[in-house]
Amino acid sequence: MSDPVLPSRARVVVIGGGVIGTSVAYHLADLGWTDVVLLERDRLTSGTTWHAAGLMVTFGSTSETSTEFRTYTRDLYSRLEAETGQSTGFSPVGFIELATDPGRLEEYRRVSAFDRLLGIDVQEISAREVGDMFPIARVDDVLAGFYVAEDGRANPVDVTMALAKGARLKGATVIEGVAVTGVRTTGSGAARRVAGVSTALGDIECDFVVNCAGMWARQLGEQAGVNIPLQAAEHYYLITEEFDAISKSFPVLEDPANYTYLREEGGGLMVGLFESVCAPWHVDRIPESFSFGELPPDWDRMGPYLEAAMSRVPISGEVGIKKFFCGPESFTADLQPVVGEAPEIRGYFVAAGLNSIGILTGGGMGRAVAQWVATGSPEVDVTGFNIDRLHTYQRTPEYRATRTVESLGRVYATHYPDKQLTTARGAKLSALHERLVAQRAWFREVSGWENPGWYAPEGVAPDPGEPTWGRPSWWPYWEAEHRAAREGVIVMDMSFMAKFLVQGRDAGARLSWLSAGDVDGETGRITYTQWLDERGRLEADLTVTKLADEQYWVVASDTAHRHVETRMRRAFDGHHAFVTDVTGGYTQINVQGPRSRELLASLTSADLSDEAFPFRTARTIDIGFAQVLCIRITYVGELGYELYVPTEQAVHVYDRLTAAGPAYGLRHAGTKALASLRMEKGYRDYGHDIDNTDTVLEAGLGFAVALDKPGGFLGRDAVLAQKAAGPLRKRLVQVLVSDPEPLLHHAEPVLRDGVALGYVRAASYGFTLGGAVGLAMISADEPIDQTWLDAGEWTVDVAGTLNPARLSLRPLYDPSNARIRG
């Protein structure tokens, strides 16, 4: 066979011919981008797609994006055959999720409420009904099943071939047997961008590359300096010999307590496994020659998991085994995919690390990536899986080897709130870490940082106890910290926040262009602001402090670290403006509460009075031997200060604070208190309750926008257009559950007069307000204002139970901001 002929140029080159790569090519062509070339090193499906189990399950996620990916994918697979003439093997036999313990029952009832909001017809069924639908299953321990009739299974190879055929029919080119050996770039620094790809058969010039290379994506990315920290791991399924008692009409059955999914396969039973402790594969480097390959199964390690899985269908132990298959799949540290434009190179997109859900999300993922490439902006919330959330240390071999074991093991775990990962810990330690250990902190991981979630009282070990959907054992400690912030003074280690020093002649002008707020005004002032895209939608939510005419201090959340840095570097390109990441160089200590001024005043010669040091002031003050950047600002809704201390002096400043603290009732507080305090005040958190699909006005942040500032800002025209269009019909609102007992965590539907209009995006417990409190985005067919909110009867669906609630556009705690101003 002669070598294929490569075009010399294409608009987009998609690398990898699995389900994701073919879906991206299909959807780009569907958008009219016909100058697309997909290159597959071997044959289509040859990586991991060919051995996927093909489950098509819309149930199970509390991410709106992931759920929409699933439903779109299911619908796409059901219509592709008519479009292309190529079957996808989609068979809507139904799907049942088993709950066999109270924790899973609570989780799945919460998931069901959310999924129904998004149009998935989830039915809670009894053990008897499970047995009727899957009669060979043992159901004596089943508390409930969760059934979706429209779900089922597909054939991964057929799906991929249908997508590839559809891409060709729409004008894209699909070439097999050509491996990409490198990605060529032009420029340097923030100006570096894709120029083409190299292969053994020649180069192809292109404007965009989409790395869909699956478990090889990390290695391909490393060649160009792109960080893609995913890791391959062994994945198993067993197929029995044929037996009469099974039928192709049986639904897919998922039994997570026994680490398994079950479905008919070839007249026998497929027993798929997601074991609690997995085995990484080739932490060093995935062999380039591996194709359509199998791994030797570890019978000894997998024996107990197989025994547990097959106990669900006792007859499976009586029939022969046709195949015990082991093949690699790629996983990420947080079980979220790696998607988006790489921070390192413009035009270099990644869609990899699908964590065993590539088939069931492939259509939606391909469409989203295609839209992102074509328009420059994603049309869905990408804050949870954007590639720029990931850090380079996560690509180290030890991190991947240890964290992958645990992350894969979480696939079938009960997803309790506040459940923490235990591997790959201690990656980043604050300068105060040992001091906080001595204060009995219980540490949680915050973007790799060890940070206190809460503190145990003196004489009590910081033990989180058994995970629960209810009130944990440490609830009283959390409440005490919350109330100390409202009534006295607290100290918090916030070193995980992303901190940048921005300097240069053009620094003020460029930050002003990025920021919707007026950040380049008076020296010594902090400005809370948003960064927007051209459509007026949110890209970042942060603070900018003007230290001097050519010097600024930018602080963002930990999860937005690389996102914010990348936007600055690209906006500063070609200008005399420079950004330095100083996150590790400064320890952030927050002192908050009505007595915070008294405590700080006892330690500094600076005048902290309202007249000398008003709200939003930033100034260097002395504390002991240290010069500290002190900013009067709050994220808890009280008088308070943020101290940015050179890390080498952080322990010294902390010791001064805690030595003086007892006279003012100082208490240590963790991020659980931070969450409940900010939620009572309705403060936003980008990536949690606001995201890139929201406009700044819908998010309720219009007060932070300076529409009339000289020079305007990115997104200004879109904000003006939305204001001119009239009252909003989509708005972020605060939700307070009237009954103090139910707890909100995330994704609870919000109903007006019995009709669901949105869901809680983030929540906590309002100890001051006396109930669970959250922020929910709601949409209506009429303008949303407080009068309209007050006229409705509002409820929140918590695990299937409707609870009366109160909704407000203004903060329910201190709406006049009197406490902030001291």
Side-chain angles (χ1 to χ4, degrees):
M1 181 182 293
S2 60
D3 289 334
V5 177
L6 302 186
S8 61
R9 173 169 175 80
R11 197 172 187 184
V12 185
V13 172
V14 179
I15 305 171
V19 67
I20 303 302
T22 54
S23 181
V24 170
Y26 171 89
H27 286 93
L28 279 168
D30 191 55
L31 290 172
W33 283 43
T34 56
D35 193 7
V36 173
V37 174
L38 183 151
L39 297 179
E40 162 54 41
R41 66 188 179 92
D42 190 353
R43 285 181 289 159
L44 298 179
T45 80
S46 64
T48 61
T49 295
W50 72 274
H51 64 71
L55 306 188
M56 277 308 309
V57 179
T58 56
F59 175 84
S61 176
T62 55
S63 158
E64 183 175 359
T65 298
S66 180
T67 303
E68 289 181 349
F69 279 2
R70 295 176 184 216
T71 54
Y72 172 79
T73 300
R74 184 184 66 187
D75 295 343
L76 174 66
Y77 294 172
S78 67
R79 61 176 167 82
L80 264 182
E81 183 172 359
E83 178 183 321
T84 66
Q86 166 71 50
S87 172
T88 62
F90 176 63
S91 179
V93 294
F95 167 79
I96 302 174
E97 185 88 65
L98 295 184
T100 57
D101 60 76
R104 293 182 199 278
L105 183 62
E106 174 76 10
E107 177 182 358
Y108 299 153
R109 282 176 172 167
R110 288 174 174 267
V111 170
S112 295
F114 177 74
D115 286 355
R116 290 186 195 108
L117 171 70
L118 297 185
I120 299 172
D121 185 17
V122 184
Q123 302 293 324
E124 181 174 337
I125 61 176
S126 68
R128 180 186 60 78
E129 290 172 302
V130 172
D132 290 343
M133 295 183 188
F134 208 106
I136 60 175
R138 177 179 56 83
V139 297
D140 58 304
D141 61 342
V142 172
L143 301 179
F146 294 84
Y147 174 61
V148 182
E150 294 81 10
D151 286 353
R153 51 190 283 192
N155 184 307
V157 172
D158 288 348
V159 162
T160 306
M161 295 304 178
L163 287 167
K165 185 174 182 180
R168 291 187 181 103
L169 290 172
K170 292 176 183 291
T173 301
V174 178
I175 302 175
E176 297 177 279
V178 177
V180 171
T181 57
V183 174
R184 298 186 298 107
T185 63
T186 59
S188 61
R192 190 177 178 218
R193 69 163 300 116
V194 165
V197 300
S198 298
T199 79
L201 300 181
D203 295 346
I204 302 177
E205 292 183 5
C206 62
D207 301 318
F208 300 94
V209 160
V210 188
N211 180 345
C212 303
M215 59 185 175
W216 290 272
R218 184 187 77 249
Q219 294 163 201
L220 182 63
E222 285 173 346
Q223 294 177 358
V226 173
N227 182 52
I228 310 173
L230 52 78
Q231 173 60 46
E234 296 178 2
H235 182 55
Y236 289 84
Y237 57 75
L238 178 147
I239 300 174
T240 72
E241 298 284 0
E242 297 181 35
F243 59 98
D244 292 337
I246 198 165
S247 169
K248 287 183 177 292
S249 65
F250 284 4
V252 175
L253 187 69
E254 200 162 63
D255 180 16
N258 285 313
Y259 318 108
T260 188
Y261 57 86
L262 306 158
R263 69 165 177 84
E264 185 275 340
E265 174 65 28
L269 181 70
M270 174 184 280
V271 182
L273 297 168
F274 279 103
E275 65 271 29
S276 58
V277 180
C278 82
W281 185 67
H282 272 293
V283 175
D284 51 354
R285 187 174 182 82
I286 306 297
E288 300 291 347
S289 59
F290 187 83
S291 188
F292 294 106
E294 299 183 32
L295 310 180
D298 186 340
W299 285 92
D300 291 338
R301 184 175 73 84
M302 297 305 296
Y305 294 109
L306 269 175
E307 184 178 350
M310 296 173 77
S311 71
R312 179 59 60 197
V313 181
I315 195 174
S316 64
E318 302 172 12
V319 298
I321 296 174
K322 180 187 293 185
K323 180 73 173 177
F324 188 34
F325 177 84
C326 178
E329 293 195 23
S330 58
F331 294 84
T332 62
D334 56 5
L335 286 181
Q336 297 296 322
V338 185
V339 183
E341 188 177 27
E344 299 88 352
I345 306 174
R346 296 188 189 206
Y348 191 120
F349 283 77
V350 178
L354 272 293
N355 301 285
S356 275
I357 60 170
I359 301 301
L360 66 91
T361 62
M365 180 66 74
R367 181 177 65 164
V369 173
Q371 290 171 336
W372 203 339
V373 172
T375 68
S377 298
E379 296 301 318
V380 295
D381 171 20
V382 298
T383 55
F385 57 70
N386 197 324
I387 186 174
D388 62 20
R389 79 188 188 279
L390 299 164
H391 294 265
T392 54
Y393 81 91
Q394 294 175 297
R395 203 174 72 246
T396 61
E398 184 176 351
Y399 183 95
R400 289 185 282 108
T402 54
R403 179 52 67 84
T404 300
V405 170
E406 188 176 15
S407 63
L408 191 155
R410 290 175 57 221
V411 170
Y412 275 174
T414 305
H415 302 102
Y416 289 105
D418 299 307
K419 180 71 172 176
Q420 289 291 297
L421 295 168
T422 60
T423 57
R425 295 291 295 267
K428 299 180 184 180
L429 300 180
S430 159
L432 306 179
H433 183 76
E434 293 305 319
R435 290 291 199 270
L436 304 183
V437 169
Q439 291 294 324
R440 303 163 304 282
W442 180 75
F443 291 94
R444 58 193 294 264
E445 183 188 3
V446 180
S447 296
W449 291 84
E450 296 296 318
N451 190 260
W454 46 267
Y455 293 82
E458 191 169 354
V460 177
D463 181 2
E466 291 297 318
T468 178
W469 290 97
R471 286 163 168 73
S473 59
W474 41 268
W475 183 277
Y477 317 153
W478 172 20
E479 179 177 3
E481 294 171 23
H482 180 107
R483 295 197 184 281
R486 293 282 183 247
E487 300 163 8
V489 58
I490 59 169
V491 61
M492 307 181 79
D493 180 12
M494 297 285 289
S495 299
F496 58 81
M497 296 293 284
K499 299 172 281 288
F500 304 96
L501 183 64
V502 177
Q503 302 176 91
R505 289 190 307 272
D506 301 330
R510 296 314 295 164
L511 283 173
S512 187
W513 170 248
L514 278 176
S515 304
D518 188 1
V519 301
D520 196 21
E522 179 184 351
T523 297
R525 298 287 283 174
I526 182 174
T527 301
Y528 170 57
T529 189
Q530 289 73 45
W531 292 355
L532 312 179
D533 64 11
E534 293 82 356
R535 302 169 301 173
R537 297 186 181 182
L538 297 168
E539 285 290 343
D541 184 68
L542 42 72
T543 61
V544 178
T545 302
K546 185 173 183 178
L547 303 177
D549 281 343
E550 297 184 7
Q551 192 175 70
Y552 301 80
W553 186 258
V554 177
V555 178
S557 68
D558 58 292
T559 55
H561 190 136
R562 296 192 76 203
H563 184 71
V564 165
E565 182 179 13
T566 300
R567 289 189 74 80
M568 281 193 286
R569 292 193 186 282
R570 291 181 175 177
F572 297 169
D573 182 41
H575 300 271
H576 193 268
F578 311 96
V579 57
T580 305
D581 182 355
V582 296
T583 299
Y586 287 84
T587 296
Q588 182 177 339
I589 304 174
N590 286 12
V591 182
Q592 300 282 320
R595 301 200 70 183
S596 56
R597 178 161 41 207
E598 295 176 70
L599 171 58
L600 281 182
S602 73
L603 297 171
T604 181
S605 63
D607 184 354
L608 300 182
S609 66
D610 273 331
E611 295 74 22
F613 210 109
F615 182 62
R616 292 181 55 210
T617 292
R619 190 172 302 153
T620 298
I621 68 171
D622 60 284
I623 298 180
F625 304 133
Q627 294 286 304
V628 174
L629 175 61
C630 176
I631 300 178
R632 185 176 164 188
I633 199 71
T634 181
Y635 195 54
V636 304
E638 304 291 340
L639 171 69
Y641 304 84
E642 295 178 354
L643 306 178
Y644 296 92
V645 189
T647 291
E648 67 273 17
Q649 292 187 298
V651 170
H652 169 68
V653 170
Y654 169 86
D655 286 348
R656 290 295 178 101
L657 284 167
T658 53
Y664 305 95
L666 178 67
R667 188 179 187 108
H668 287 74
T671 48
K672 285 299 295 185
L674 180 71
S676 57
L677 291 160
R678 74 102 175 171
M679 194 57 69
E680 285 191 328
K681 187 63 178 164
Y683 287 145
R684 279 54 168 159
D685 187 359
Y686 185 73
H688 292 87
D689 34 70
I690 54 176
D691 60 52
N692 60 279
T693 66
D694 306 320
T695 70
V696 68
L697 300 180
E698 292 164 349
L701 297 170
F703 68 89
V705 176
L707 288 168
D708 57 351
K709 70 175 180 178
F713 57 86
L714 180 62
R716 177 178 179 271
D717 290 346
V719 177
L720 286 170
Q722 188 171 39
K723 284 180 71 72
L728 298 173
R729 301 188 178 202
K730 174 188 172 186
R731 301 194 72 171
L732 193 71
V733 298
Q734 196 173 24
V735 178
L736 175 65
V737 178
S738 303
D739 183 343
E741 289 305 311
L743 301 183
L744 301 179
H745 297 296
H746 162 70
E748 295 87 358
V750 178
L751 299 84
R752 184 182 192 266
D753 299 333
V755 178
L757 298 182
Y759 65 93
V760 174
R761 287 186 171 178
S764 188
Y765 195 83
F767 293 102
T768 316
L769 295 175
V773 61
L775 287 170
M777 185 65 78
I778 62 171
S779 300
D781 294 330
E782 52 190 305
I784 300 173
D785 56 23
Q786 192 61 48
T787 299
W788 181 82
L789 292 177
D790 293 341
E793 181 179 337
W794 292 94
T795 53
V796 180
D797 187 338
V798 180
T801 300
L802 297 180
N803 298 270
R806 176 186 171 193
L807 271 62
S808 178
L809 289 170
R810 300 186 69 198
L812 291 170
Y813 178 78
D814 187 30
S816 67
N817 291 332
R819 297 184 66 84
I820 292 172
R821 302 184 182 281

